[in-house]
Amino acid sequence: MYRPHPFSWIPACGKRHASADTKPLGGYPNGFVVATLCRHQLPADNSDVAWLWETCPECNVKAHELAGIPMPKGGTR
């Protein structure tokens, strides 16, 4: 599976988080517990609505660091 960065995005507990865990083919199933870049263990939520949730600010900062891409000025989202 193609993975351009050492993390994947996954909705969990009301926000879109990033995880460095190995992503199963087809994505993380609902309820699958992932270790997030913000240092939590959270159950995945693959519902359509969950992908529209706000991005976890801490995961976003760490994902930008891992990708080598500076954060946009004026925010962490």
Side-chain angles (χ1 to χ4, degrees), residues 60-73:
N60 198 24
V61 168
K62 291 181 189 262
H64 275 79
E65 289 171 1
L66 287 172
I69 300 170
M71 286 292 299
K73 293 191 187 299

Side-chain angles (χ1 to χ4, degrees), residues 4-72:
H5 302 294
F7 59 87
S8 298
W9 290 100
I10 184 66
C13 294
K15 294 196 183 210
R16 288 181 297 125
H17 293 272
S19 176
D21 290 357
T22 301
K23 185 176 180 180
L25 188 60
Y28 301 105
N30 282 328
F32 186 89
V33 176
V34 296
T36 64
L37 296 184
C38 63
R39 298 180 308 277
H40 294 283
Q41 300 283 326
L42 302 174
D45 181 340
N46 259 324
S47 64
D48 290 339
V49 172
W51 284 102
L52 300 174
W53 291 341
E54 178 182 333
T55 300
C56 168
E58 189 174 347
C59 283
N60 198 24
V61 168
K62 291 181 189 262
H64 275 79
E65 289 171 1
L66 287 172
I69 300 170
M71 286 292 299

